[in-house]
Amino acid sequence: MANEVTALSIVHTIQDLQQLLTERRQQGLSVGFVPTMGFLHEGHLSLVEQARQQNDVVVMSIFVNPAQFGPGEDFEAYPRDIERDARLATEAGVTILFMPTREEMYPQEGGIRILPGPQAAELCGASRPGHFDGVLKVVLKLFNIVDPDRSYFGLKDAQQLAIIETFIRDFNLRTKIVRVPTVREQDGLAKSSRNVHLTEAERKEAPVIQQALQLGAGLVVEGLSVNDIEQQVADAIVTNSSGSIDYVSLLAYPELTQADATSKEVILACAVKFSKTRLIDNIIIPLKG
Ligand code: AMP
């Protein structure tokens, strides 16, 4: 697919985007969608790569969504570099880059809120009240604006992915969701736009997050109790880094209910706070039987 070589189009308004998409649809082309908050890295680009393989047109959005940041969170400090992003998106083969302003996406304050279910009460939803309300609002708006055949989400944000899959199912949304594995640095740290906010010393310590999760995955297979596993993972992180634990949690995936012997897959997820940023990572572990 994606036979025709097309230059990247950058659009800032919904109207311009939809005009381009209408033309492509009239030609019978399929549309893959990669929503992001920008400051692109190889994780984002692997979503684009997969979207390119499965669709004729790849739309990427870059929008730092204020609705998913709580008071005192890092909305202002979230890293941004639009020119570099445009270059990387071009090189990766994005067809249309949609970079709306805040006013374009939210011309009015307030309005309707979307209330996610129990999956949003766990993990990041517990530490960031309202976060997933804001995620679902922007995702629904973007799905309605782009009307993609397929949408690409990273397992790096496994809770977000699980909630969006439930949203699609519960509201009969048309797009298909494609799960994309987490892309990591050579030392195992999950690629993230927020890694740029780590100090040099913290950057050296940060791979301990994935190492601790792998240790925990081994304990899951050995059959230790949920509490013991969570405790040992937390201990491994605080002993080997200056980070503090926001949460370490073992749950059934994608339900995000209590893990038990009937769970087919479980997720061991954590959030760790460093001096200027908070990082998340997870590991999904298939269980036998
Ligand atoms: P963000 O810009 O951080 O909101 O991420 C946009 C999309 O890229 C989301 O679907 C993320 O899950 C995905 N993503 C972010 N980091 C990675 C990574 N290291 N590997 C794979 N996907 C990622």
Side-chain angles (χ1 to χ4, degrees):
M1 283 196 204
N3 292 328
E4 35 156 13
V5 179
T6 29
L8 174 78
S9 303
I10 300 182
V11 290
H12 299 278
T13 66
I14 296 166
Q15 196 182 0
D16 286 350
L17 175 68
Q18 291 186 326
Q19 191 177 337
L20 286 179
L21 284 172
T22 304
E23 287 164 16
R24 309 292 159 102
R25 284 236 171 64
Q26 281 165 354
Q27 298 163 26
L29 301 179
S30 60
V31 176
F33 178 42
V34 180
T36 81
M37 298 205 299
F39 209 70
L40 300 180
H41 52 69
E42 285 166 30
H44 299 116
L45 302 182
S46 78
L47 271 60
V48 172
E49 180 55 36
Q50 192 148 343
R52 260 165 57 90
Q53 286 170 18
Q54 298 174 334
N55 305 274
D56 301 302
V57 172
V58 177
V59 178
M60 173 186 273
S61 62
I62 296 182
F63 180 61
V64 185
N65 173 36
Q68 70 190 67
F69 289 80
E73 290 187 354
D74 59 348
F75 174 70
E76 299 295 341
Y78 196 84
R80 294 161 170 91
D81 189 340
I82 283 171
E83 274 165 31
R84 180 172 163 276
D85 284 350
R87 182 168 51 74
L88 289 174
T90 308
E91 288 167 7
V94 170
T95 329
I96 303 173
L97 183 56
F98 178 48
M99 296 200 287
T101 61
R102 183 178 183 151
E103 293 69 35
E104 183 73 3
M105 289 299 283
Y106 298 112
Q108 264 107 33
E109 294 293 317
I112 305 293
R113 288 178 55 191
I114 303 173
L115 190 62
Q119 281 169 306
E122 305 295 334
L123 309 176
C124 289
S127 338
R128 305 183 67 187
H131 169 67
F132 289 110
D133 310 17
V135 168
L136 291 185
K137 182 155 185 170
V138 81
V139 160
L140 181 60
K141 286 172 72 73
L142 290 168
F143 286 163
N144 283 330
I145 292 165
V146 178
D147 190 22
D149 297 289
R150 299 177 194 81
S151 301
Y152 295 79
F153 288 89
L155 280 161
K156 156 80 170 31
D157 299 281
Q159 182 178 21
Q160 167 175 279
L161 183 38
I163 292 170
I164 291 171
E165 285 175 347
T166 303
F167 191 42
I168 301 281
R169 181 199 69 193
D170 285 1
F171 290 84
N172 306 89
L173 302 183
R174 189 181 84 82
T175 193
K176 295 271 172 295
I177 299 295
V178 180
R179 296 180 178 186
V180 182
T182 302
V183 177
R184 299 180 179 280
E185 302 288 353
Q186 290 217 325
D187 59 15
L189 175 65
K191 296 217 180 220
S192 164
S193 306
R194 289 188 168 99
N195 289 350
V196 71
H197 288 318
L198 294 171
T199 65
E200 216 174 300
E202 289 169 344
R203 173 63 190 84
K204 289 200 180 113
E205 301 164 354
V208 75
I209 298 173
Q210 179 59 21
Q211 288 158 13
L213 291 172
Q214 282 179 15
L215 169 113
L219 302 178
V220 170
V221 175
E222 280 178 36
L224 264 70
S225 75
V226 170
N227 276 348
D228 284 350
I229 295 166
E230 291 171 350
Q231 193 58 55
Q232 288 203 37
V233 171
D235 287 349
I237 294 170
V238 293
T239 311
N240 296 295
S241 78
S242 55
S244 62
I245 302 294
D246 182 353
Y247 64 77
V248 174
S249 196
L250 179 70
L251 295 168
Y253 193 80
E255 302 83 2
L256 305 182
T257 49
Q258 223 174 345
D260 61 33
T262 67
S263 309
K264 290 203 184 79
E265 275 192 325
V266 292
I267 184 168
L268 182 57
C270 68
V272 181
K273 285 183 178 159
F274 288 93
S275 60
K276 291 198 224 49
T277 198
R278 172 183 171 280
L279 301 184
I280 58 169
D281 198 0
N282 69 78
I283 188 163
I284 293 175
I285 308 148
L287 296 184
K288 284 195 199 111

